[in-house]
Amino acid sequence: MQKSYLKEHEAIKLHILAEVSQQITSILDINELLVRVVRLIQQTFNYYHVGIGLIEGEDVIYRLGAGTLWDDPNFQFKPARLKIGSEGITGWVAQTGEAALVPDVSLDPHYVWMQGSLTKSELTVPITVKGRTIGVLDVQSQHIDDFEQTDQELMQAIASQTGIAMENARLFAETQRLLKETEQRANKLTVINSVQQGLASKLEVQAIYDLVGDKFRDIFDAQVVMISTYDPQSNSIMHRYAIERGERVYSPNPQPPGGFRSQIIHTRQPLLVNTKVAEEAVRLGQPTLPGTITPKSWLGVPMLVSGQVTGILSVQNVERENVFDESDIHLLQMFAASMSIALENARLYEQARQLAILEERQRLGRELHDLGHTIPVWD
């Protein structure tokens, strides 16, 4: 009789495990995956509480669960953050990587009471990936001694399946991220090529500024784009291209460089301010005009000719911090280098054109002078 019962119980356990595995292995979004796991366990076993905590730094953090408490719209999981090894049964399991079956939580020194909880017994198992504990699966009951060894084995098996599914989801997300980055790099290279081809055909200075500035708006996550020239003799800059939220907002009058641009001129290096832009602006003496909005992220690079700063390219995001990164610096520097060459070509072209005009005027003057000597004079 006992042997028959064990076989039947084992068959039920395997059936449940297969059901869980079938439902979660195809989910490639981690949040959706964890929600499905806790709901599936709670609905299958009618547990009072089911939760999954993930390890972040030195804490186990709970952000989702299922059960009686979670059905209350006013319920807030407190404490939702437990120190690994020193707080809660889940904190202990996260540290040791070993399951904990607690028949009576009131007698366990690790137990931390959860706000509104009527828990009497608890079962917690680790979620591991490649031998590393990344979280815990926690189930609780309103009754004392409500869990058996077979429950622990089943929950551990489900936790193992969850770990595999989470790793699959992570690898999928990483693959998607790499594909997106590859696509973005390809798009940026396409833009760079189009800019360089466009610059090769531009011999008018303002057309060069407009071409590059318009492309900035296409590829950088920025609401403000500025291209400024720098005159070392007067130590002044002139905004030759300035766009804020799609509208031109500048006057082409020379002005002092100011904090951020002065820093770039002095160091001849890029300047990236991704957080606390206002504080950094004060530190560097960045002027603030009335009505202007302080950006959340600011990036600028110098345009260089023979090692000397001739201008500054800058982009700003006024909505979010940490928008720009190292790849944006490299891209902006590439634009700056292409622009410097194009502007120098335009300058040499204009110089040659003016010289040709002067030579033509001198030639005409000589011809008119020679013609005057050949005309006969009548008495």
Side-chain angles (χ1 to χ4, degrees):
M1 184 72 176
Q2 179 70 12
K3 188 177 292 186
S4 174
Y5 169 79
L6 290 175
K7 285 185 178 180
E8 182 180 350
H9 196 74
E10 185 70 18
I12 293 172
K13 185 174 75 171
L14 291 173
H15 174 75
I16 293 171
L17 185 59
E19 180 73 16
V20 171
S21 178
Q22 183 180 2
Q23 292 202 35
I24 68 175
T25 50
S26 61
I27 301 174
L28 294 174
D29 178 87
I30 288 182
N31 287 330
E32 181 186 349
L33 166 67
L34 298 180
V35 169
R36 182 71 65 85
V37 170
V38 295
R39 288 180 178 173
L40 188 60
I41 294 174
Q42 201 280 326
Q43 291 167 4
T44 303
F45 299 98
N46 197 30
Y47 286 142
Y48 170 66
H49 159 81
V50 181
I52 288 180
L54 299 181
I55 293 176
E56 297 183 18
E58 298 180 352
D59 299 319
V60 178
I61 299 177
Y62 284 87
R63 292 196 174 92
L64 53 89
T68 303
L69 290 174
W70 296 90
D71 293 337
D72 182 352
N74 297 318
F75 170 68
Q76 292 184 343
F77 195 102
K78 293 181 179 180
R81 181 185 292 266
L82 297 169
K83 281 290 178 189
I84 295 175
S86 62
E87 292 181 345
I89 295 170
T90 53
W92 183 83
V93 171
Q95 182 186 51
T96 63
E98 298 177 1
L101 196 162
V102 183
D104 186 346
V105 295
S106 67
L107 302 177
D108 192 288
H110 298 107
Y111 179 70
V112 173
W113 180 74
M114 179 175 62
Q115 185 173 309
S117 172
L118 300 176
T119 296
K120 294 294 195 307
S121 57
E122 184 171 357
L123 170 59
T124 307
V125 297
I127 300 173
T128 59
V129 172
K130 298 178 180 179
R132 180 173 61 90
T133 301
I134 63 169
V136 294
L137 169 60
D138 181 55
V139 295
Q140 301 177 16
S141 172
Q142 291 174 285
H143 307 287
I144 290 177
D145 199 13
D146 206 23
F147 300 108
E148 299 178 355
Q149 187 63 33
T150 54
D151 296 313
Q152 178 178 322
E153 293 170 358
L154 180 56
M155 289 304 113
Q156 187 63 74
I158 293 175
S160 298
Q161 289 288 339
T162 302
I164 293 170
M166 288 177 67
E167 179 65 4
N168 289 340
R170 187 193 67 78
L171 291 173
F172 176 78
E174 179 69 10
T175 300
Q176 293 299 106
R177 184 187 66 80
L178 292 173
L179 288 173
K180 185 176 180 180
E181 286 183 356
T182 301
E183 182 181 359
Q184 288 174 339
R185 282 196 294 270
N187 291 338
K188 286 182 178 180
L189 287 173
T190 300
V191 172
I192 290 169
N193 289 334
S194 69
V195 169
Q196 290 177 334
Q197 291 174 7
L199 288 174
S201 64
K202 301 291 184 185
L203 292 173
E204 196 273 316
V205 170
Q206 190 58 47
I208 293 172
Y209 295 128
D210 292 340
L211 171 66
V212 175
D214 288 343
K215 288 299 180 182
F216 280 5
R217 296 164 58 194
D218 293 339
I219 64 174
F220 288 99
D221 187 3
Q223 293 81 38
V224 180
V225 175
M226 302 190 80
I227 302 176
S228 312
T229 55
Y230 174 64
D231 179 13
Q233 300 299 322
S234 60
N235 189 33
S236 63
I237 60 170
M238 183 182 296
H239 299 314
R240 301 300 298 267
Y241 182 99
I243 290 292
E244 181 176 324
R245 299 182 184 276
E247 297 183 4
R248 294 185 182 273
V249 294
Y250 70 98
S251 168
N253 298 320
Q255 56 187 270
F260 289 166
R261 292 180 177 84
S262 288
Q263 178 79 357
I264 292 174
I265 292 167
H266 176 70
T267 63
R268 292 181 291 179
Q269 296 295 322
L271 177 63
L272 172 60
V273 187
N274 252 340
T275 60
K276 299 181 179 179
V277 176
E279 290 90 330
E280 187 66 6
V282 171
R283 189 182 75 82
L284 293 176
Q286 175 76 9
T288 302
L289 299 177
T292 59
I293 301 173
T294 301
K296 298 294 181 64
S297 302
W298 196 97
L299 170 61
V301 302
M303 289 190 292
L304 300 170
V305 174
S306 301
Q308 300 302 311
V309 177
T310 60
I312 296 168
L313 312 185
S314 64
V315 289
Q316 305 171 33
N317 188 296
V318 301
E319 299 171 350
R320 295 183 292 113
E321 293 185 341
N322 297 304
V323 168
F324 307 118
D325 57 25
E326 200 70 26
S327 66
D328 293 312
I329 294 176
H330 295 323
L331 185 58
L332 210 55
Q333 286 178 312
M334 197 174 299
F335 276 118
S338 298
M339 268 196 74
S340 296
I341 294 170
L343 289 169
E344 184 66 9
N345 288 341
R347 185 187 68 80
L348 293 173
Y349 171 79
E350 181 62 21
Q351 188 179 71
R353 190 177 72 86
Q354 293 296 332
L355 182 60
I357 292 173
L358 179 60
E359 289 177 347
E360 180 65 13
R361 286 175 179 171
Q362 290 175 341
R363 185 186 66 78
L364 289 173
R366 286 194 300 271
E367 289 181 357
L368 287 173
H369 180 270
D370 293 343
L371 184 61
H373 283 285
T374 59
I375 296 175
V377 180
W378 296 91
D379 293 333

